[in-house]
C-alpha cells in the first residue's frame, strides 16, 4: 500500500493544468463501443479508473493505445466478440455504463454488480427500469446485471432522480433504438453534455443534453469520431479549495469557468478571491475562511464530489458550518479521519456540523475513498506538523499526477511504498 508523507503549513502558489474529466472520459470510453472504426480521444486523464476501463475494452476486442499523453486511439470492431472480465469490471462503478452500450451494440450485456467508491448503496434500479421501458429484459441475478433485447423500442422515461449514470446508460441504449426516446428529469451535468457531443460526432442524434429533457433519435449507424473530453471540474475544484485552505494563490488552467460556477460562488463566500481570465481561474485564499453552509445537489448545485474537500476547509473556518449531503447516503466516512487531525465534526444522518478550529494537527490517516482522500490531503497540507496518508491509491483512482501537481505548487509531499 502506498502512502504519502505530507508536511503541512506551506502555502500553495503557482499554476496547475487541469486534466480531462475522469467521469466524462469513462462515459465516452463506454460510448466508443457503439462506433465501428477508429475513435480518437483527446484530454483523457491517465488515472486508474480509465486504465481499468481500457482493459475491459481490450477484453471486448477493442484495440487501443496511448499515442501521446492524453491522446488515445481506439479501433472498434463491427462486432464485439469478447466478454467483460468480471474481476476487473467490479473495481469500478462506471463499468455499469457498458450495460447500455453493449445492449445497444449487440443486443445483450452481462456485467458484474459494479464496485467503485463505497459512498452509499448506489443501486441500479433507475438504469434497469429505463432499459425495461425500452423493452429490454433487465435484471440482477447472482451478483450480475443482465440485460437483453434485440428489438428495443423507443420510450418516454421519467427518472425518479436525475441520476448521472442512469441518464448516460439510457442515452447510450437509445442511440440504437429506431425512433425517438425521451428521458425526462435527466441529469444535467456537463459530463452528460460531453457524452452527447461525442455521440453526435459519431453520427448519433442526441438533443437537449444539459437540460432535464433529453431526446434521442436512435437507429443511426455510428462511425469514426474524434473528440476532446471536457476539463475535470472536480479536479479543478479540489485545487481551488487547496489554494483556499493553504491561504495560497493558485491558477487553475484549462478549465471551463461556467462548469465551476457553483464552486466559485461557495469559494467566494468562504472569503477567497476568484479572478477569471479565459480558460483560467485564479484563487487567492483569505487569511482565515468564513464558515459557510453547503448543500450538495445535482448540477448546477454544489457537487457532492467536493463535499469532503469542503469539510476539510470548514474544519479550519472561523465559525460553524453546516453541510447537508443530499446525493449519497454514506459520504461522511472521512469525518472520522479528519477528527484525528483535530477537526470537530458532528454527523447527524445526512448533516455534518463542522465547528471551525484555529488549527489542525498532522496525523496518520487512512484514505477511505477517492474524494475523502482529497479531503485528507487538503487537511494535511494545512495542518501543523507531519501527516501520513495511507492508501493513496484511492486518490490516484481519480486525480491525474496529483503528487507531482501538488509538489509543483510547493506542497511538501513525498511518496513512500511499504
Ligand atoms: C456519478 C459520478 C460521481 C458523482 C455522481 C453524482 C461517474 C463515474 N461518477 O456517479 O462521481 O458523485 O455521479 O454527481 O460519473 N441512484 C439510485 N438508483 C439508480 C441510480 C442512482 O437510487 O439506479 C441514486 C444513487 O444511489 C445516489 C444518487 O442516485 O444516491 C446519485 O447517483 P448517480 O447520479 O447515479 O451517480 P453515479 O452515476 O453513480
Amino acid at each position: 500500500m502506498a502512502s504519502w508523507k505530507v508536511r503541512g503549513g506551506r502555502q500553495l502558489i503557482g499554476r496547475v493544468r487541469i486534466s480531462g474529466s475522469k467521469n466524462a472520459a469513462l462515459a465516452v470510453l463506454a460510448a466508443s463501443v457503439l462506433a465501428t472504426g477508429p475513435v480518437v480521444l483527446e484530454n483523457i486523464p491517465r488515472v486508474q479508473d480509465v486504465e481499468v476501463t481500457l482493459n475491459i475494452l481490450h477484453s471486448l476486442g477493442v484495440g487501443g493505445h496511448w499515442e501521446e499523453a492524453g491522446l488515445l486511439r481506439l479501433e472498434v470492431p463491427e462486432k464485439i466478440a469478447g466478454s467483460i472480465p468480471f474481476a476487473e469490471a467490479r473495481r469500478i462503478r462506471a463499468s455499469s455504463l457498458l450495460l447500455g452500450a453493449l445492449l445497444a451494440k449487440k443486443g445483450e450485456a452481462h456485467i458484474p454488480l459494479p464496485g467503485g467508491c463505497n459512498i452509499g448503496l448506489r443501486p441500479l434500479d433507475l438504469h434497469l427500469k429505463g432499459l425495461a421501458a425500452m423493452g429490454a429484459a433487465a435484471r440482477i441475478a447472482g451478483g450480475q446485471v443482465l440485460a437483453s433485447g434485440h428489438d428495443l423500442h423507443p420510450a418516454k422515461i421519467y427518472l425518479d432522480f436525475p441520476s448521472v449514470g442512469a441518464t448516460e446508460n439510457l442515452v447510450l441504449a437509445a442511440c440504437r433504438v429506431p425512433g425517438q426516446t425521451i428521458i425526462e428529469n435527466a441529469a444535467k451535468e456537463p459530463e452528460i453534455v460531453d457524452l452527447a457531443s461525442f455521440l453526435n460526432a459519431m453520427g448519433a442524434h442526441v438533443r437537449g443534453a444539459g437540460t432535464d429533457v433529453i431526446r434521442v433519435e436512435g437507429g443511426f449507424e455510428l462511425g469514426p469520431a474524434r473528440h476532446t473530453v471536457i476539463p475535470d471540474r472536480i479536479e479543478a475544484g479540489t485545487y481551488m479549495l487547496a489554494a483556499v485552505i493553504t491561504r495560497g494563490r493558485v491558477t487553475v488552467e484549462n478549465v471551463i469557468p461556467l462548469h465551476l460556477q457553483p464552486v466559485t460562488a461557495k469559494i467566494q463566500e468562504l472569503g477567497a478571491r476568484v479572478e477569471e481570465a479565459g480558460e483560467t481561474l485564479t484563487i487567492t485564499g483569505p487569511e482565515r475562511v468564513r464558515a459557510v453552509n453547503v448543500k450538495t445537489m445535482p448540477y448546477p448545485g454544489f457537487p457532492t464530489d467536493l463535499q469532503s474537500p469542503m469539510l476539510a476547509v470548514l474544519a479550519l473556518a472561523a465559525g460553524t458550518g453546516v453541510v447537508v449531503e443530499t446525493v449519497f447516503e454514506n459520504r461522511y466516512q472521512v469525518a472520522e479521519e479528519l477528527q484525528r487531525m483535530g477537526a470537530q465534526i458532528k454527523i447527524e444522518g445526512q448533516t455534518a456540523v463542522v465547528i471551525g478550529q484555529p488549527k489542525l494537527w498532522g496525523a496518520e490517516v487512512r484514505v477511505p475513498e477517492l474524494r475523502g482522500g482529497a479531503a485528507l490531503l487538503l487537511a494535511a497540507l494545512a495542518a501543523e506538523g507531519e501527516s501520513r496518508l495511507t492508501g493513496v491509491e484511492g486518490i490516484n483512482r481519480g486525480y491525474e499526477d496529483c503528487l507531482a501537481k501538488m509538489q509543483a505548487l510547493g506542497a511538501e509531499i513525498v511518496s513512500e511504498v511499504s
Side-chain angles (χ1 to χ4, degrees), residues 35-294:
T36 300
V39 170
V40 179
L41 301 173
E42 291 181 80
N43 211 25
I44 300 285
R46 203 155 187 176
V47 292
Q48 207 194 320
D49 279 16
V50 165
E51 299 283 9
V52 170
T53 306
L54 278 177
N55 289 342
I56 298 172
L57 291 183
H58 284 153
S59 304
L60 291 170
V62 176
H65 65 275
W66 292 96
E67 219 162 75
E68 55 186 74
L71 183 67
L72 200 54
R73 185 176 289 275
L74 303 177
E75 189 61 44
V76 188
E78 192 182 337
K79 286 204 169 26
I80 293 288
S83 58
I84 291 192
F86 271 33
E88 194 80 356
R90 208 172 284 122
R91 293 167 62 190
I92 60 164
R93 168 82 182 167
S95 56
S96 61
L97 298 177
L98 286 163
L99 199 60
L102 289 179
L103 182 65
K105 178 86 170 184
K106 56 179 208 166
E108 58 170 36
H110 292 185
I111 62 160
L113 268 178
C117 286
N118 177 27
I119 53 176
L121 286 173
R122 308 186 88 168
L124 291 171
D125 56 321
L126 300 172
H127 303 234
L128 301 185
K129 267 202 298 196
L131 295 176
M134 287 186 231
R139 62 192 171 92
I140 294 176
Q144 298 182 34
V145 191
L146 311 156
S148 61
H150 289 273
D151 292 311
L152 300 186
H153 53 75
K156 189 168 176 177
I157 300 159
Y158 181 88
L159 292 177
D160 297 339
F161 181 87
S163 153
V164 173
T167 303
E168 291 170 341
N169 240 331
L170 297 175
V171 167
L172 290 170
C175 277
R176 281 296 178 94
V177 181
Q180 191 181 69
T181 292
I182 302 175
I183 305 163
E184 292 178 329
N185 199 26
K188 296 185 284 203
E189 269 68 4
E191 292 75 20
I192 308 270
V193 180
D194 203 43
L195 171 66
S197 39
F198 173 56
L199 287 166
N200 290 341
M202 294 197 296
H205 290 229
V206 182
R207 303 285 174 259
T211 77
D212 52 12
V213 182
I214 299 180
R215 290 186 163 78
V216 182
E217 196 69 44
F220 296 91
E221 282 303 314
L222 305 186
R226 190 180 182 106
H227 179 73
T228 302
V229 163
I230 55 169
D232 197 313
R233 64 195 169 96
I234 306 301
E235 187 200 17
T238 304
Y239 285 99
M240 289 160 77
L241 289 170
V244 173
I245 203 169
T246 64
R247 293 174 285 123
R249 182 177 161 84
V250 171
T251 300
V252 288
E253 298 178 335
N254 183 39
V255 298
I256 298 177
L258 181 69
H259 293 171
L260 282 155
Q261 255 176 10
V263 179
T264 303
K266 256 316 147 192
I267 284 182
Q268 283 168 329
E269 212 181 312
L270 287 165
R273 201 167 77 228
V274 182
E275 294 154 274
E276 181 182 331
E279 293 181 346
T280 71
L281 289 170
T282 300
I283 289 75
T284 311
E287 209 33 53
R288 186 162 184 206
V289 298
R290 288 195 287 266
V292 299
N293 298 331
V294 180

Side-chain angles (χ1 to χ4, degrees), residues 245 270 288-296 302 306-325 331-360 375 379:
I245 203 169
L270 287 165
R288 186 162 184 206
V289 298
R290 288 195 287 266
V292 299
N293 298 331
V294 180
K295 190 172 185 176
T296 66
F302 188 86
L306 288 175
Q307 180 260 100
S308 297
M310 195 59 153
L311 282 185
V313 173
L314 290 176
L316 282 165
T320 297
V322 177
V323 177
V324 181
E325 170 61 55
R331 213 162 203 180
Y332 287 132
Q333 294 165 66
V334 75
E336 203 179 306
E337 300 298 311
L338 287 171
Q339 272 157 352
R340 290 172 185 273
M341 304 175 85
Q344 294 277 327
I345 305 174
K346 289 189 189 133
I347 310 287
E348 276 286 327
Q350 295 307 99
T351 303
V353 178
V354 189
I355 305 160
Q357 304 298 308
K359 274 196 172 127
L360 292 179

Side-chain angles (χ1 to χ4, degrees), residues 371-382:
R371 306 302 174 188
L376 292 177
L377 177 55
L378 262 53
L381 290 171

